[in-house]
Amino acid sequence: MKSRPGFVLEVDKSTPPILVWHGEGFKVQKMPVDSRIIYPKEPISALEDPDTAVRQALENPLGDTKPLSELLFPSMKLTIAFDDVSLPLPPMEAPDNRQRVIEAVLNLAAEKHVEDVVLIAALALHRRMTDAELKHCLGERIYNSFAPNGLLLQHDAEDPDNLTYLGKTEKGEDVEINKRAAESDLIVYININLVAMDGGHKSVATGLSSYRSIRHHHNVATMQHSRSFMDQSNSELHSSNWRIGRFLANEGVKVFQIETTLNTDTFPKQFSFLQKREWEWTFKDRLSFSSVSKALELTPGNLKTSIFNSIKAPHRLTSVQAGEVEAVHRVTTENVYHQQIVQVDGQSDILSLGLPYISPYNVNSIMNPILVACLGLGYFFNLYKGKPIVKKGGVVIMSHPTPLAFHPVHHPSYIDFFDQVLSETTDPMEIQTNYEEKFATDPWYRHLYRTSNAYHGVHPFYMWYWCAHALDYLGRVIIVGGNHQAVKRLGFASATTFNDALEIAQDVVGSSPSITHFHVPPIAIAEVS
Amino acid sequence: MKAIQLEKSYAKFAGALVANKLRGHGSSMSSMPLRLSELNEFRLPGDEWTYIYPIMSGICGSDIKTIQAKSSRMLEHLVSFPFVPGHETVAIRADNNKRVVVESLLSCKALNIDSCEFCKQDLIDKCQCQEFSSIAPGLQIGFTKDIPGGWSEFSMAHSDQLYEIPDDMSDEDAVLVEPMACAIHGVLKIQREMLNTFNDIPLVAVIGAGTLGLCTTAALRHFYKDSIKILTSTKYPYQRKLAKICGSDYHSNTQNYLTTVRHLTGSFITGPALTYGADVVIDCVGSKESLHAAITTVKPGGQIVLTGMPSKANLDLSLLWQRQITLTGAYTYSTEVSHLNNANNAKTFELAINASKEMGLGRLVSAKYSLDNYEAAIEHAIDAGKRDSTKIVFTNNKADLIKKLQRRIQ
Amino acid sequence: MPTSKTYKIETYESKANSIKFAIRILRQKFKNKAKLSGFILDRPTYPVSIVQPDVESKLGVNYDTSWSRKPLVRAVRSIVRESVARPFFAAVAAPQVIGLESLTLNNPPYIFTANHASHLDTGLLLTTLPYEIRRNTVAAAAADYFFDTRFKAILAAGILNAIPLERTKVNRSSAKLAQDLVEMGWNLVIFPEGGRTPDGWGQPFKGGAAYLSIRTGVPIVPVYIHNTRALLKKGSKKLTTGATKVVFGNPIYADEKEDARKYAVRIENEVASLKNEIGKDYYSSILNKHSATTPLLQSDIKSKWLRSWLSEEANSSNKKEVLKWPKL
């Protein structure tokens, strides 16, 4: 399959209405003439023999490190850490990259007869994964060999007995990571690098650390100075993680990093129209679009959520890199950019987004208003390199129903954050100063995080901090078709239709604004000149 | 003279009840047992009694409950029909033209009988003698057929029941003295040891943000200054602002009340209740739901003060028993004996006059109606919350009153 | 808006408990209404002054299974086995039966000794035997597990034709019963490991079956049951479907002067050899057997993950077809 590059379309009178995501559903919408639409690159072709590629990567590592098989010895402590349920999006069809790579690593370990092996899901402050989720991402064989023996762990950032404090970086950042990982002879970390933000030193420095450590880079000041998260050289978030990562290396924590990239084949065949360019929609595409949207209209909310949660993406492995963290990550980032970069010429006044049903934090869950804000302003707004797509003081128009709904098990602290914090203020700095600590240390959230499947008490704050750069930068945020009460609480403007939103935006950007619609997902990164 | 009379018409009570059931909160005037009548002046019941001319009289939640036939029948023996309601009254004394507020409670002295053991100690709120006097039974002025309440152009009171108010105090501030007195009475029922807390600062939760809830919030802030944190649970969004004005630190609405208390106290949730909770909960609503909320959110061994007027409620008390909660009723006002120094042996009304003036509670008066417009007034009071209002009052024209007074003196 | 109630995560277990609870309440209600309680209907109570004699347990090893071998019960069991159990196991476990022809070498009775990985094993073995043999077979079942309550004992004896066998200590009466039955011509199914495997690897064979064979002169038929652990393993409550194999070996006898312990080891090796036959051909398994290079049922690997990772189950593919998004 030859993949055509992404491009920017200038809308003219002949441009058909384009597909816009709207939470658990989508619509077609006519864009104003002279506005621009950024189309992502089509999925690049996958590796033909992924298993061999994985084996080769393990034997030919990048950077200053020996092949994995030479790093293994029978009496060693080996810890295999892997990304949690927040990657990839949507969850991929089995076999997951993690299963493929970890099986290869375990086969090597079994050959060397390594007796002490532990698997750790690198949760950071995310919710614990369910057994079904673990089984899906690791496969039955790994799950059955480790879970019943208590060797499949989920990192617990609130377990003082299982954390090791290693000291401070030169900038005073506390470094505290999982004790087992710190005491291992080797940590093998398996990444899925869905976007350029993932991986690198962030894997261990964030994934296996505690609130005490994470708060040094997950805060308003850092987020506001990350322009953007997708561009490491300009991301304060990454600088901090790199410092911590190098500190760990100096302390003798040995990491063998394995990073994998995926193509952007995001939706199953039945939904292929979701990643096709509208003027190429065949009769079959049009038929499935209208029947699917009609069916979704008639489906009650809960069922709709579970239908969408059951979608597994046909992502395919496009590259695998193993070895020393920084060398690996350099190549990986290039590979991610190779799939995702789209050249965009100049900024515009208005950025229009259609937000889908999924974000990293509501896999198998409910997308609550805070996550809507985070997906739009934290993730999609930041999918840029160079300059933001929208001008400073510009407007972002996002399309999402923003229901006033929360998953009570996964997001308990979000409910209280929405009720008790956002009702008082939406200013990230004020929120950080006045409320963060109380939530971060609340024993009930800690209990739910450690024993149930709840995100950490401080997690909603981080979601809001993700938005800090955008909130600081933008003149106005408008949500189309959202629940008014929820949108108002978020501090955004609410519009019924896209055209109403444009009217509202004109107060800020004048009467003839330039408009850019970012046609994601599938994911793309706009390199704006 | 004009007065609004509440008569005991079973047909109308039944009508009110049915209308109530059918339409939820609102009730149509046609089915209300109220009418505007022209009454002759009543004879004074005793030597120490005097005529008063109401300037302003509030519509209380208990009045509404009575009109809607929602109040408990357990108290029916202490009410005599037909009566003129109104027990939150600012008036002018007929004998000396002074502005006064009326302590409407009827105790032995006002009833012209020998003082009972409670009244001897000035604990008039505990007096149970209303049935045993020549005056027809009534809990307070405004519940007996022999003494018209404040919803009229004239009323009467025992001279001990009248408290002069300073000239610089507005009528609005004054009309809230009675509810404020009830709130203060409730607040001063908090036992000292209840505030020994595991929290950094004791947390007192107030359920309800109607007149009583807001007055309670204000009273807490007035007496406890910054030594406690106050959470006010509101039903309607506009009440949030008022609660803040009255001095609350935290706010919640009915839905997230429990989770808010949980978060503020760092508790866990166990079954329907919290492992810890607010040190004291003051229930200013008195419904089944509010009592349940109070029981589940007060700390084990904590205290619930019930200030709102309750009626029959089907309530599971197993948690009250298991959590060893003290449930304290707080009715009206009296002489205060409290662990707070500045309250010892003071009359609640005197404390309330000071507090109301100091905190400017007159701001809670949302609308004023003349007696002629009583239908609109009652409807407004019934839907107060939905119409972003708190206290609805009846007013009489002051100029008319003074004319009347002068005529009388002549 | 979610309330506090929704914080409760409902588990399968609590649901089951609430059903039990509801049944109990209903029963109580019903009992009270129908006045079905009290003396005459209920057992009388002892006066306090009279010492109540201890009741000897009639469960466990002492459970009397003779009723289950009465002709009428056998007939009913036969119907259930042929019309329900066999189709059920065929559907769930799709057993491929190998080596049954070896049973024609001798005359019954036989003592079948098999590896044990799943609750399905007994039923699977009993339903795959030839008709003439399976109608005349009893199964030795753990007295402490299958005969600890009256309900389970009735089910075990009635449906499986099980007899209680003490697995932790030698119990004369239970061994005697098995011996008597074998001598009367009953075939016996026994799992010498004494319990299901916790991790897929075999456990040492106990000497009970060997002892019985020596005492009665009845031959032992080694059996290897493949892949039942994948369908229903120890500790799992979920039954999945898949393909299994049941491999029968040739009947063997104890050598002269061979004691039960040595004989048991030999039986274990025979079963291991049958296991080796799967995935390989018969000939190379025999070669292994004679050069004593047959992979053992047991493993001496200490590391827990390696034991699981290298176990037979981990390497066999039992992938289920995942329900895919409907084609549009």
Side-chain angles (χ1 to χ4, degrees):
Chain A
M1 180 172 61
K2 182 92 179 70
S3 86
R4 294 176 296 178
F7 77 111
V8 178
L9 174 82
E10 300 275 344
V11 175
D12 56 31
K13 290 258 179 188
S14 309
T15 310
I18 57 152
L19 178 107
V20 175
W21 273 95
H22 188 67
E24 286 158 358
F26 20 73
K27 54 193 178 193
V28 286
Q29 178 179 298
K30 192 89 184 156
M31 293 302 289
V33 172
D34 288 341
S35 54
R36 306 185 301 174
I37 301 168
I38 305 175
Y39 279 90
K41 185 173 180 171
E42 288 180 339
I44 56 177
S45 48
L47 292 174
E48 268 174 25
D49 185 355
D51 286 320
T52 311
V54 170
R55 269 199 305 276
Q56 278 170 358
L58 298 182
E59 286 318 300
N60 305 297
L62 304 171
D64 179 24
T65 181
K66 283 189 233 166
L68 181 62
S69 55
E70 289 175 33
L71 295 171
L72 302 172
F73 53 95
S75 61
M76 78 184 300
K77 261 189 175 180
L78 175 63
T79 298
I80 300 174
F82 56 92
D83 282 343
D84 74 344
V85 74
S86 57
L87 288 164
L89 296 177
M92 66 189 290
E93 281 173 5
D96 192 282
N97 284 1
R98 284 161 288 206
Q99 176 184 350
R100 207 185 280 285
V101 176
I102 296 177
E103 277 187 4
V105 173
L106 286 175
N107 280 334
L108 286 178
E111 262 172 43
K112 296 279 175 176
H113 218 85
V114 181
E115 296 208 332
D116 187 0
V117 180
V118 168
L119 261 58
I120 303 180
L123 298 184
L125 304 179
H126 294 176
R127 69 175 174 89
R128 285 154 45 82
M129 293 165 76
T130 63
D131 288 348
E133 286 163 350
L134 284 167
K135 262 184 208 167
H136 177 78
C137 92
L138 297 174
E140 294 259 342
R141 184 178 178 197
I142 297 176
Y143 183 86
N144 289 341
S145 294
F146 286 83
N149 296 324
L151 300 172
L152 174 54
L153 307 177
Q154 307 209 42
H155 172 63
D156 182 349
E158 286 289 351
D159 182 0
D161 298 338
N162 279 312
L163 291 168
T164 302
Y165 183 74
L166 293 163
K168 280 185 189 330
T169 64
E170 76 265 19
K171 290 255 169 113
E173 291 135 329
D174 292 290
V175 182
E176 186 172 47
I177 66 161
N178 186 292
K179 188 176 176 186
R180 162 79 202 192
E183 289 173 355
S184 292
D185 296 299
L186 185 66
I187 303 172
V188 176
Y189 195 106
I190 288 86
N191 262 291
I192 296 180
N193 300 63
L194 184 73
V195 289
M197 180 182 78
D198 306 326
H201 281 303
K202 189 169 166 287
S203 307
V204 173
T206 299
L208 292 175
S209 72
S210 68
Y211 170 64
R212 189 178 178 187
S213 196
I214 291 173
R215 72 199 159 108
H216 289 288
H217 41 80
H218 280 56
N219 58 45
V220 180
T222 310
M223 299 296 178
Q224 282 178 346
H225 292 104
S226 295
R227 309 286 171 82
S228 73
F229 309 119
M230 302 302 161
D231 184 2
Q232 280 147 39
S233 46
N234 291 311
S235 164
E236 187 54 36
L237 173 73
H238 285 83
S239 314
S240 174
N241 271 297
W242 255 241
R243 274 194 299 277
I244 296 176
R246 285 173 186 159
F247 179 88
L248 283 170
N250 284 337
E251 289 292 312
V253 177
K254 201 160 165 36
V255 181
F256 188 87
Q257 182 95 349
I258 306 170
E259 300 196 334
T260 60
T261 58
L262 296 169
N263 64 13
T264 50
D265 202 358
T266 313
F267 298 101
K269 262 213 189 70
Q270 302 82 357
F271 294 137
S272 60
F273 61 90
L274 289 172
Q275 46 196 34
K276 260 187 175 175
R277 293 162 187 181
E278 287 78 2
W279 51 94
E280 288 170 355
W281 280 16
T282 61
F283 176 71
K284 200 178 150 203
D285 290 326
R286 292 187 318 255
L287 191 67
S288 41
F289 168 79
S290 42
S291 51
V292 169
S293 4
K294 195 75 207 165
L296 286 172
E297 250 173 55
L298 300 173
T299 314
N302 289 352
L303 185 60
K304 207 148 68 170
T305 308
S306 53
I307 287 174
F308 272 99
N309 281 340
S310 71
I311 291 183
K312 298 275 183 284
H315 300 300
R316 290 282 170 270
L317 188 65
T318 55
S319 78
V320 52
Q321 287 76 231
E324 186 271 321
V325 181
E326 291 181 24
V328 163
H329 194 61
R330 230 169 284 133
V331 181
T332 307
T333 309
E334 282 314 307
N335 287 335
V336 171
Y337 284 161
H338 173 62
Q339 165 72 80
Q340 295 181 359
I341 286 272
V342 180
Q343 298 294 337
V344 177
D345 193 13
Q347 295 174 300
S348 61
D349 298 315
I350 295 176
L351 169 64
S352 151
L353 298 164
L355 300 184
Y357 65 96
I358 198 167
S359 87
Y361 314 107
N362 72 317
V363 176
N364 301 328
S365 185
I366 294 169
M367 181 114 133
N368 61 49
I370 297 157
L371 292 177
V372 171
C374 178
L375 180 65
L377 301 182
Y379 280 84
F380 285 4
F381 172 83
N382 277 305
L383 285 172
Y384 73 83
K385 229 184 132 193
K387 291 185 283 190
I389 303 170
V390 60
K391 288 177 190 159
K392 184 153 176 68
V395 173
V396 166
I397 299 175
M398 315 193 279
S399 175
H400 193 279
T402 326
L404 202 49
F406 293 84
H407 195 296
V409 174
H410 295 164
H411 301 124
S413 60
Y414 280 69
I415 302 173
D416 294 349
F417 179 83
F418 189 78
D419 282 338
Q420 293 168 37
V421 178
L422 288 185
S423 60
E424 300 289 335
T425 175
T426 55
D427 176 45
M429 206 64 207
E430 200 180 326
I431 288 174
Q432 178 178 316
T433 329
N434 295 341
Y435 299 95
E436 183 187 306
E437 193 180 341
K438 180 100 176 129
F439 274 75
T441 55
D442 188 309
W444 172 242
Y445 300 146
R446 186 184 297 148
H447 171 76
L448 293 177
Y449 162 78
R450 297 189 58 185
T451 59
S452 172
N453 297 92
Y455 280 88
H456 193 275
V458 82
H459 204 260
F461 288 77
Y462 292 167
M463 295 303 97
W464 203 251
Y465 302 164
W466 277 135
C467 307
H469 168 32
L471 290 174
D472 186 40
Y473 182 89
L474 294 171
R476 181 166 291 178
V477 180
I478 303 167
I479 294 188
V480 177
N483 174 315
H484 289 277
Q485 210 188 328
V487 173
K488 197 175 158 202
R489 180 72 62 85
L490 295 170
F492 304 155
S494 184
T496 316
T497 63
F498 183 69
N499 286 332
D500 287 352
L502 286 181
E503 292 286 329
I504 298 170
Q506 284 177 9
D507 297 347
V508 182
V509 291
S511 57
S512 52
S514 53
I515 303 166
T516 302
H517 179 78
F518 202 5
H519 203 292
V520 280
I523 292 172
I525 298 174
E527 185 163 29
V528 184
S529 55
Chain B
M1 282 198 179
K2 271 189 270 186
I4 298 165
Q5 233 180 351
L6 181 71
E7 34 187 10
K8 186 172 192 174
S9 151
Y10 284 111
K12 284 197 169 178
F13 271 128
L17 213 58
V18 171
N20 210 357
K21 283 265 183 277
L22 288 179
R23 303 185 30 179
H25 224 60
S27 180
S28 87
M29 276 318 290
S30 61
S31 63
M32 279 187 197
L34 284 180
R35 70 162 183 229
L36 185 64
S37 348
E38 196 64 39
L39 297 180
N40 293 324
E41 271 188 27
F42 287 45
R43 219 157 41 83
L44 289 174
D47 299 340
E48 289 171 85
W49 285 69
T50 175
Y51 288 107
I52 54 170
Y53 295 93
I55 308 169
M56 203 177 266
S57 185
I59 302 174
C60 170
S62 59
D63 295 328
I64 299 292
K65 276 191 182 172
T66 313
I67 292 168
Q68 292 188 314
K70 272 193 199 165
S71 56
S72 166
R73 302 198 62 184
M74 290 277 272
L75 291 171
E76 226 175 60
H77 63 288
L78 295 179
V79 175
S80 53
F81 291 95
F83 62 80
V84 177
H87 54 271
E88 304 173 351
T89 311
V90 191
I92 292 180
R93 269 181 93 136
D95 50 0
N96 61 8
N97 285 6
K98 292 269 168 65
R99 228 155 39 111
V100 289
V101 286
V102 186
E103 185 187 70
S104 305
L105 195 66
L106 288 168
S107 61
C108 290
K109 207 180 262 179
L111 293 165
N112 305 321
I113 53 175
D114 291 340
S115 288
C116 65
E117 293 304 321
F118 292 115
C119 286
K120 276 179 197 162
Q121 296 176 43
D122 260 348
L123 299 174
I124 55 169
D125 55 329
K126 300 196 175 75
C127 177
Q128 301 291 330
C129 303
Q130 291 83 353
E131 237 184 321
F132 311 112
S133 126
S134 57
I135 300 173
L139 283 160
Q140 303 171 5
I141 295 176
F143 288 100
T144 162
K145 67 177 178 188
D146 283 352
I147 306 164
W151 301 5
S152 70
E153 289 183 326
F154 82 102
S155 173
M156 307 181 284
H158 192 275
S159 52
D160 275 7
Q161 289 178 303
L162 296 176
Y163 292 79
E164 246 176 64
I165 52 173
D167 289 340
D168 57 348
M169 187 171 180
S170 68
D171 292 338
E172 284 81 5
D173 284 349
V175 82
L176 278 141
V177 165
E178 199 271 355
M180 186 60 176
C182 294
I184 290 175
H185 191 60
V187 165
L188 295 180
K189 292 234 174 217
I190 295 174
Q191 295 160 19
R192 180 203 289 272
E193 64 271 19
M194 292 299 169
L195 298 176
N196 297 337
T197 178
F198 299 125
N199 296 321
D200 304 336
I201 298 179
L203 177 73
V204 179
V206 180
I207 301 180
T211 309
L212 196 52
L214 293 169
C215 284
T216 301
T217 306
L220 281 167
R221 188 51 79 219
H222 182 75
F223 285 101
Y224 284 95
K225 306 286 185 245
D226 287 335
S227 66
I228 56 166
K229 292 277 183 193
I230 305 169
L231 162 69
T232 307
S233 168
T234 61
K235 186 169 176 186
Y236 302 99
Y238 80 96
Q239 294 175 330
R240 209 180 171 92
K241 257 185 230 158
L242 292 174
K244 212 173 224 170
I245 293 173
C246 291
S248 70
D249 301 289
Y250 311 111
H251 314 91
S252 75
N253 56 36
T254 318
Q255 287 86 29
N256 63 34
Y257 166 70
L258 182 123
T259 47
T260 308
V261 176
R262 189 215 63 68
H263 177 62
L264 292 175
T265 55
S267 320
F268 284 22
I269 295 174
T270 159
L274 302 178
T275 49
Y276 192 52
D279 299 285
V280 175
V281 177
I282 303 184
D283 180 358
C284 300
V285 177
S287 69
K288 176 176 129 187
E289 291 79 13
S290 70
L291 272 166
H292 178 79
I295 290 173
T296 51
T297 55
V298 74
K299 73 177 176 190
Q303 185 184 13
I304 297 171
V305 180
L306 180 56
T307 318
M309 176 179 160
S311 59
K312 203 168 151 182
N314 188 356
L315 198 65
D316 191 335
L317 290 180
S318 49
L319 282 176
L320 185 91
W321 166 75
Q322 192 263 348
R323 295 166 75 82
Q324 306 179 58
I325 295 163
T326 307
L327 181 59
T328 312
Y331 169 63
T332 63
Y333 27 77
S334 166
T335 309
E336 297 304 338
V337 182
S338 157
H339 67 269
L340 290 170
N341 289 334
N342 53 357
N344 262 350
N345 292 321
K347 291 270 190 191
T348 325
F349 250 71
E350 282 161 1
L351 296 171
I353 291 170
N354 282 336
S356 176
K357 185 164 174 251
E358 198 175 296
M359 312 212 52
L361 290 182
R363 285 179 285 188
L364 300 183
V365 175
S366 310
K368 299 172 199 166
Y369 287 87
S370 70
L371 292 177
D372 297 316
N373 274 337
Y374 76 98
E375 297 190 340
I378 300 294
E379 273 175 356
H380 194 167
I382 288 173
D383 286 336
K386 284 183 197 154
R387 289 167 67 174
D388 282 9
S389 316
T390 307
K391 179 56 77 186
I392 312 298
V393 296
F394 285 113
T395 53
N396 283 319
N397 191 318
K398 237 185 218 177
D400 285 354
L401 271 180
I402 289 166
K403 260 185 224 155
K404 258 177 219 164
L405 269 175
Q406 281 164 350
R407 212 181 306 143
R408 195 182 158 72
I409 291 163
Q410 284 156 10
Chain C
M1 293 295 276
T3 61
S4 65
K5 273 185 193 157
T6 46
Y7 280 108
K8 221 169 156 188
I9 308 156
E10 216 166 318
T11 60
Y12 172 79
E13 210 137 295
S14 74
K15 251 186 212 160
N17 282 342
S18 61
I19 290 169
K20 271 188 197 163
F21 187 65
I23 290 174
R24 212 165 68 209
I25 288 179
L26 276 179
R27 247 161 71 175
Q28 241 165 33
K29 284 242 158 108
F30 180 74
K31 232 180 170 179
N32 289 345
K33 223 173 212 166
K35 300 226 161 79
L36 286 173
S37 58
F39 182 48
I40 303 297
L41 283 174
D42 280 354
R43 205 179 341 175
T45 49
Y46 269 73
V48 177
S49 57
I50 295 176
V51 179
Q52 196 165 346
D54 291 340
V55 185
E56 202 189 329
S57 169
K58 291 209 169 127
L59 289 171
V61 197
N62 300 325
Y63 185 75
D64 181 10
T65 54
S66 57
W67 63 271
S68 69
R69 292 181 294 276
K70 297 254 161 66
L72 185 64
V73 182
R74 288 180 64 182
V76 172
R77 179 165 55 240
S78 200
I79 292 167
V80 171
R81 186 179 55 228
E82 300 304 318
S83 62
V84 181
R86 269 174 68 84
F88 170 78
F89 279 102
V92 168
Q96 182 192 352
V97 186
I98 301 163
L100 261 189
E101 63 278 4
S102 60
L103 297 189
T104 55
L105 298 177
N106 291 68
N107 286 329
Y110 300 107
I111 299 173
F112 295 98
T113 61
N115 63 317
H116 199 15
S118 166
H119 275 322
L120 295 175
D121 291 346
T122 319
L124 188 62
L125 187 48
L126 284 175
T127 50
T128 46
L129 289 168
Y131 180 72
E132 276 312 312
I133 294 180
R134 66 176 177 254
R135 62 187 287 272
N136 265 328
T137 303
V138 294
D144 56 313
Y145 190 95
F146 288 98
F147 291 90
D148 61 340
T149 68
R150 186 166 294 274
F151 181 68
K152 273 160 88 178
I154 289 172
L155 278 185
I159 294 177
L160 293 175
N161 199 10
I163 55 168
L165 195 73
E166 194 80 69
R167 57 176 162 181
T168 46
K169 55 180 189 268
V170 181
N171 182 302
R172 206 154 278 184
S173 72
S174 73
K176 184 76 176 59
L177 175 65
Q179 190 182 331
D180 288 351
L181 288 173
V182 170
E183 278 171 354
M184 279 162 69
W186 287 87
N187 302 290
L188 176 70
V189 166
I190 190 165
F191 298 101
E193 289 174 76
R196 288 164 295 155
T197 163
D199 57 6
W201 288 98
Q203 303 169 86
F205 276 34
K206 297 185 177 181
Y211 169 81
L212 270 179
S213 170
I214 293 169
R215 285 295 291 262
T216 57
V218 169
I220 287 210
V221 177
V223 184
Y224 179 70
I225 303 173
H226 172 74
N227 208 27
T228 48
R229 184 172 145 83
L231 307 192
L232 181 72
K233 65 178 151 200
K234 192 173 180 177
S236 164
K237 280 182 178 164
K238 214 174 117 198
L239 177 70
T240 49
T241 57
T244 58
K245 287 177 187 167
V246 185
V247 190
F248 291 90
N250 289 337
I252 54 172
Y253 293 88
D255 295 336
E256 272 178 56
K257 289 181 194 165
E258 191 175 37
D259 67 0
R261 201 171 298 165
K262 274 189 192 150
Y263 189 23
V265 172
R266 190 152 66 89
I267 296 167
E268 187 176 340
N269 289 339
E270 287 294 331
V271 176
S273 176
L274 294 177
K275 177 185 175 183
N276 197 25
E277 217 177 296
I278 294 175
K280 277 191 183 167
D281 58 306
Y282 175 62
Y283 182 66
S284 48
S285 83
I286 294 185
L287 280 183
N288 277 343
K289 187 167 149 187
H290 287 288
S291 59
T293 52
T294 305
L296 297 175
L297 289 182
Q298 298 179 52
S299 153
D300 56 358
I301 302 171
K302 294 271 178 327
S303 166
K304 281 181 176 170
W305 84 269
L306 268 177
R307 277 181 79 88
S308 306
W309 187 252
L310 298 173
S311 70
E312 168 227 2
E313 173 209 349
N315 292 306
S316 70
S317 65
N318 184 44
K319 293 259 156 61
K320 267 186 309 164
E321 193 57 24
V322 182
L323 204 59
K324 289 260 174 66
W325 186 262
K327 290 248 189 286
L328 294 172

